[in-house]
Amino acid sequence: MEMNSPAPPCTQDHICWGAHASHPDRHRLEVDSLSVYYGSFLALNGISFSIRQGEAVGFLGVNGAGKSTTMNILTGYLSASDGEVVIDGVDILTEPLKAKAKIGYLPEQPPLYPEMTVQEYLDFAAELKGIKKKADRKEQVRKAARRTGLEEVLPRLIRSLSKGYRQRVGIAQALLGAPQLIILDEPTVGLDPAQVIEIRRLIRELGKSHTVILSSHILSEVQAVCSQVLILSKGHLVAVGAPEQLAEKLNPGSRLRATALGGGKTVLKAVGSIPGIRKVEIESEADGQVTFTAESADASDRRAEVSRALSQAGCTVLALAAENRTLEEVFLALTENESETPSDEGEEKTE
């Protein structure tokens, strides 16, 4: 979608397609007409969005879509060619130091010092963030450690910690200074399943009191943690909204998944003959059981009709449920014509 084209007003469910969101709630982050050129290459093309206070938002895009460029601008590491970024009322382009004080950032590789204890590192990070008084730093570290579950490991060397706990240390340093906006870049990469669950739980808790931007290639993670997503494609912001709302906007029909006793041809004929069913696909067929999906042209619930048609065809229904489209399907639909490249254009130039 071209970002410069007129955009429809936001609806009550807060879906905005490439538009600058306008809600009565206070915005912690406002991005307006942001563009970036690397030479003659346009990496970001006038993207605009707003994120409200106390909202966890997933930031998605294939490599080369402009995601890393946007993250670098939001965190103050890169200047934009045009547009503005306002964090809690402060323009990061004109008042970078004041704006950065409102940001907590966890890069994909947390800048940890393994020879330090957790306590020493967090105290050091707090001092770097301008917390000069020792008593204030101690209180900030205590609060961050409590929120991230680090209280028992404060005396330990960082090198002795598991990767899950090192990620917690990285998140704790992002919390120092009471930032309004927290940006987390791939926070669960390399963690085991138990650690992933714990970090996701922590991010959900942070989202209740902070504005959180989560950049991740794990779409199921974004869907589990975030209430809203932003999807970039070829430097354009192509979608903003809740995953299920975006799915409905992309494809207003409904879908169900079912398993029945019978043959695939019989199932296809029986279900495909139902008025309003536009597509039936067999997912698996083995041992006399068929699992399939059926899509409708509208949002009507056709489970009763499907069950009746299968029964009349001599097929016993074993399972039948309505199914929401996944964030992965939405993402692929919006970026299907975009080939993945090794990195954002110009990313190496900014390192």
Side-chain angles (χ1 to χ4, degrees), residues 64-333:
K67 184 161 57 74
S68 293
T69 295
T70 305
M71 297 277 282
N72 285 333
I73 293 172
L74 296 183
T75 53
Y77 289 104
L78 180 68
S79 294
S81 303
D82 195 15
E84 64 177 16
V85 175
V86 179
I87 299 171
D88 201 31
V90 180
D91 191 324
I92 196 169
L93 304 179
T94 59
E95 299 181 271
L97 293 180
K98 187 176 179 181
K100 287 179 184 180
K102 298 176 179 292
I103 301 170
Y105 178 45
L106 174 71
E108 184 174 349
Q109 297 294 330
L112 304 179
Y113 295 92
E115 69 278 6
M116 285 184 170
T117 67
V118 176
Q119 178 81 50
E120 289 170 340
Y121 171 76
L122 292 178
D123 184 76
F124 173 64
E127 189 171 6
L128 288 178
K129 291 191 175 188
I131 306 171
K132 300 301 182 182
K133 293 183 179 180
K134 187 174 182 180
D136 292 342
R137 293 201 303 271
K138 184 177 180 180
E139 180 63 14
Q140 287 266 349
V141 169
R142 185 188 65 81
K143 288 182 178 179
R146 185 180 69 246
R147 294 194 69 182
T148 54
L150 291 172
E151 291 172 298
E152 294 184 0
V153 300
L154 283 173
R156 291 178 56 179
L157 291 173
I158 291 175
R159 70 160 63 97
S160 71
L161 301 178
S162 68
K163 183 168 176 58
Y165 269 97
R166 290 198 296 272
Q167 287 295 88
R168 287 173 180 267
V169 174
I171 295 174
Q173 67 79 24
L175 293 177
L176 296 171
Q180 286 80 17
L181 173 65
I182 297 176
I183 300 176
L184 307 175
D185 191 1
E186 302 288 352
T188 61
V189 167
L191 302 186
D192 65 39
Q195 293 169 336
V196 168
I197 291 171
E198 287 300 314
I199 295 298
R200 287 180 181 177
R201 183 181 296 120
L202 173 58
I203 295 171
R204 280 193 291 267
E205 286 299 313
L206 293 176
K208 295 177 181 178
S209 53
H210 299 264
T211 298
V212 177
I213 295 179
L214 170 64
S215 175
S216 177
H217 285 90
I218 307 173
L219 301 187
S220 60
E221 177 169 273
V222 173
Q223 190 155 20
V225 172
C226 301
S227 58
Q228 303 283 312
V229 295
L230 293 86
I231 300 178
L232 276 176
S233 178
K234 297 180 180 178
H236 297 267
L237 184 63
V238 294
V240 180
E244 63 275 9
Q245 295 166 338
L246 294 178
E248 178 64 21
K249 195 172 187 73
L250 281 173
N251 191 338
S254 60
R255 183 171 66 185
L256 57 82
R257 173 177 270 105
T259 300
L261 294 176
K265 292 182 179 179
T266 302
V267 167
L268 288 173
K269 182 178 180 181
V271 179
S273 65
I274 299 172
I277 295 290
R278 65 182 177 189
K279 184 179 181 181
V280 184
E281 286 188 342
I282 302 295
E283 290 196 344
S284 64
E285 183 176 2
D287 301 325
Q289 292 187 17
V290 179
T291 297
F292 66 93
T293 59
E295 294 188 5
S296 301
D298 55 38
S300 299
D301 185 350
R302 290 190 165 83
R303 285 177 293 178
E305 296 170 71
V306 169
S307 178
R308 185 164 50 250
L310 289 171
S311 179
Q312 291 173 351
C315 301
T316 302
V317 177
L318 300 179
L320 178 61
E323 188 176 71
N324 294 323
R325 288 174 176 81
T326 65
L327 179 57
E328 181 177 355
E329 290 175 290
V330 173
F331 180 78
L332 291 175

Side-chain angles (χ1 to χ4, degrees), residues 54-66:
E55 190 169 52
V57 175
F59 195 43
L60 306 176
V62 302
N63 290 334

